[in-house]
Each structure stands twice: as structure tokens, then as C-alpha cells.
Amino acid sequence: MTLTPVPHLAVIVVAAGSGTRLRGGAPKAFVGLDARSILHHALRGVFCAPAAQVVVVVPEGYEGDATTDALDAAGDRGELVTVVTGGATRQQSVAAGLTALWGDVDTVLVHDAARALTPAAVFERVVAALDDGAVAVIPVLPVVDTIKRVDGAGRVVAAVDRSELAAAQTPQGFRRSVLEAAAASADADHTDDAALVAAAGHPVVTVEGDARAFKVTTAPDLERARSLVTAAPEVEAAPTPATGIPRVGLGTDVHGFGGEGTLWLAGLEWPGEQALSGHSDGDAVAHAIVDALLAAAGLGDIGTHFGTDRPEFAGAHATAFLTHTVGLLAAAGWRVGNVAVQVQANRPRFAARRVEAEQALSRALGGAPVSVSATTTDGLGFTGRTEGVAAFATALVVPA
């Protein structure tokens, strides 16, 4: 008989939130991403991390559902799973998780189930920092947006130096004794466990987080997570930027003339030219770029994210497609390096508007350089017969 060693590490998975802002028809952790719940996906990441006791904290009445998800995600490590009922606040739920820890556990990670796509590498970085002597560790990402301080009337008071800011993620790691003592002495409710421990006077260090560890809070967050799961069903199966190696993708698209209204191509409106047909505006140039970027990042293709089952993209122009694609890339840890696209068509004539097209496409891609070239096919094929437009794109993506 083989006995499983008692782990000294535990992961408390906080899944007791109501999910009011998500409006998913169930507590947030039990809303589906695909055929599986948010909690199930979060637990898959947990069980890819260093071996540990796993304590799942859930709302009252959901203990059975959580046990099913946990045992399914655990595989042959089901004996490591404990499910407990949480409290009215996050802090109370973490306290409930602490009471379920085994006696030999001396290191605790606290992880939000809502960060369902967190890669195992983030868990490993947090554990490594604890092993190196830290008493409290959190993964963070740099803040890239310009931050303003505003007053109660919505007026800007001052700019905030973002070089001093970081966005905190989970799992957050602690020495068990430190976290338990901080929880026992807390005289206020804190938004995360690092704040609780810092308020007790302990230093908190940081490690690199991951763009995929975003928190599912609102409906757009849920859609973003579903897009990533659809494109890469296994959390660790999609190409990741951990190696620092850029990746290249190819994309093509064709559309025939015959649409209603004005022609839109390369992000520009072309008055007097016949429109292309398609679910959106038929912009073959923008669509080829999307396919190339998604292919480079290993996120599927344009049909995966912009299919005819997505009514919000009906009639949409290049900016909607390209900005959404940039968001998908960012969530997977990539950014656009550059794009080159060739248009094959007899009309419209690109020469006079080539630079304008490059600028429009570049703006939609967040400033990444785009080069556009155009050619004809000497009368051959459907483009040579002026029946439509073909576009061929090459894209480079680099770690974000």
C-alpha cells in the first residue's frame, strides 16, 4: 500500500462569492465557462501547481456541487480535497478555510476561484518566494493605464504615478502562522489577504503575475474567459510567452463584391466603391490581420471569436475586430509586434490611400506598425475578374 505524504502546503480556494455583478444565474464560481464551471477551471490550475491540500470555500448549499468539481479536477489526488462553507465576507471565508487546514501545513496560498485561468507557473513563483524566506508573497502585474485621482463629483484632482503601482492577483502566499495571527487580530475588513497581513506589520513581497490570471467579475470578463477557453481548452496547452520567443502567424481572407452600402476596406470607407459582402463589413484586410494575430498567439481563428453567432459583430468595422483581438492577445500574455498585409484586387486603387490605411490599422492595434501593399493578379482568378478582394497577412507577436 502506497501512502500519500502529508503536504506542508495548502491552497485555500475562495469560491463563496455571490457574483452579483456577473449576473450569471448562480454564485460566480458555479457559472459555466464551457461545459465546466469557473470553479472547475480554477481547480484544474490548482492541481497543476505544487502538490498541496486543497480547501474549497463555497456558499451554503453548494458543498455537493463543489465536491463534484473538486474531485473531478483532482483526479487521483481526491484525498487532498476538503470543502467547507464560507462566510458573508471574503475575510470570513478565508478564516473558514484556515480552520480546515491539516496540522502539518505550514504554508498557505489563498486563491480566488474567479481567477480561473491562472497558470501553474504563477503558483510556482509564489511558492518559490516563500521557500526563499518571504512571509507574504503576491503576484502582480504593472499598471499600464494612465491613472487619475478624482473627487466625489467626478472631477480629476491629480495624476497618479503609475510606476509606483501594481495590480495584485492571486494566489497570495503566506506562512500559516502569520496569516492566522493576522486574521485573529484583524479589527477591519480587508479586500485581500496581503492587506490583512500588511496591516499586522509584516512585509509583503511581489513576484510576476500573468495576464491570464484576470478576475472574472462582469459579463465582459466572462466572455473574455470563455473566448480563451474555447481557443485553448487546456489551460497550459496554449503557447505561452514564458520563453520570451516571438511568434509568427499567417492569415488570409476573401470577400466578394455585392454587399449593401459603401465599401469598407483596410479600416477605411471608400465612397463610390461597391461594398463587399459578409457578416460584418466584409473588410478582408482587417479579417486577414485578425487571423494572423490569433494564429501567432495560438488562440484559434476568426471564426472562433467573431462567428455568425456573435451578433455584436454584425456590420462591425475593422476597429471593433482589431481592438477585440488586441484584448484577447493581452489576456494570453502577448502584444502585437508588427503586421504586414498584401491586398489582391483590381479595385479599389490603394496607392493614394496606402499610408492612410496603415495609420488606421495601426491605431486600431494600439500603435503597432502595420505595412500595407497592393497588387493585381493580371486578370487571373476571381480578383482578376473584379469579383472580390483577397488579403494575406503576416503578424509577429511578442511577450507582453
Side-chain angles (χ1 to χ4, degrees):
M1 177 178 175
T2 302
L3 297 177
T4 302
V6 177
H8 291 269
L9 172 68
V11 183
I12 298 174
V13 181
V14 184
S18 64
T20 303
R21 285 176 288 176
L22 187 60
R23 298 179 180 177
K28 183 194 301 183
F30 298 91
V31 173
L33 284 187
D34 47 14
R36 303 291 191 179
S37 67
I38 288 175
L39 175 60
H40 187 277
H41 282 274
L43 289 169
R44 286 200 328 190
V46 169
F47 280 105
C48 286
Q53 179 193 8
V54 177
V55 180
V56 187
V57 188
V58 300
E60 185 176 1
Y62 283 84
E63 295 85 355
D65 293 324
T67 300
T68 299
D69 276 345
L71 293 178
D72 187 54
D76 60 1
R77 289 185 286 168
E79 75 278 3
L80 299 177
V81 173
T82 305
V83 176
V84 299
T85 305
T89 67
R90 186 182 190 284
Q91 202 159 301
Q92 290 173 357
S93 292
V94 173
L98 288 172
T99 64
L101 298 183
W102 295 336
D104 288 336
V105 168
D106 56 27
T107 305
V108 182
L109 306 188
V110 182
H111 183 50
D112 291 340
R115 300 185 185 274
L117 304 185
T118 303
V122 179
F123 289 83
E124 292 165 359
R125 287 194 286 270
V126 172
V127 171
L130 292 168
D131 288 343
D132 286 342
V135 298
V137 184
I138 62 172
V140 299
L141 287 180
V143 174
V144 296
D145 293 322
T146 298
I147 305 297
K148 303 291 186 181
R149 183 178 291 110
V150 298
D151 62 17
R155 293 184 294 261
V156 174
V157 176
V160 179
D161 183 2
R162 66 186 178 193
S163 67
E164 299 178 352
L165 302 177
Q169 299 182 321
T170 68
Q172 300 184 352
F174 309 93
R175 295 291 170 214
R176 176 180 180 173
S177 58
V178 168
L179 181 57
E180 287 181 330
S185 63
D187 56 4
D189 211 33
H190 297 273
T191 57
D192 73 354
D193 306 284
L196 174 70
V197 168
H202 299 284
V204 180
V205 302
T206 65
V207 295
E208 182 185 359
D210 193 287
R212 289 166 292 177
F214 65 93
K215 189 174 184 180
V216 177
T217 302
T218 63
D221 298 328
L222 180 62
E223 180 61 29
R224 178 182 174 191
R226 284 173 173 167
S227 295
L228 292 172
V229 169
T230 300
E234 297 299 328
V235 172
E236 291 299 307
T240 71
T243 59
I245 299 174
R247 293 176 57 90
V248 175
L250 302 176
T252 66
D253 195 50
V254 296
H255 281 281
F257 291 115
E260 297 180 357
T262 305
L263 173 67
W264 283 84
L265 194 63
L268 302 178
E269 186 176 15
W270 300 78
E273 294 285 352
Q274 186 179 16
L276 292 165
S277 62
H279 173 60
S280 60
D281 62 357
D283 190 335
V285 173
H287 299 174
I289 291 173
V290 168
D291 251 346
L293 289 169
L294 294 174
L299 295 177
D301 55 28
I302 194 168
T304 302
H305 303 281
F306 302 91
T308 55
D309 60 336
R310 299 291 299 274
E312 65 270 34
F313 292 109
H317 297 312
T319 299
F321 278 76
L322 297 176
T323 55
H324 187 69
T325 301
V326 169
L328 293 173
L329 264 62
W334 301 97
R335 65 177 176 85
V336 183
N338 73 290
V339 174
V341 58
Q342 183 187 72
V343 187
Q344 291 186 359
N346 285 344
R347 56 187 304 178
R349 297 293 184 179
F350 261 84
R353 303 189 71 185
R354 181 180 60 81
V355 173
E356 185 184 359
E358 291 175 341
Q359 292 171 343
L361 295 169
S362 177
R363 283 194 301 270
L365 290 176
V370 178
S371 60
V372 178
S373 62
T375 187
T376 64
T377 56
D378 291 332
L380 300 175
F382 82 98
T383 57
R385 295 189 298 270
T386 318
E387 295 173 355
V389 173
F392 306 86
T394 304
L396 177 74
V397 299
V398 297

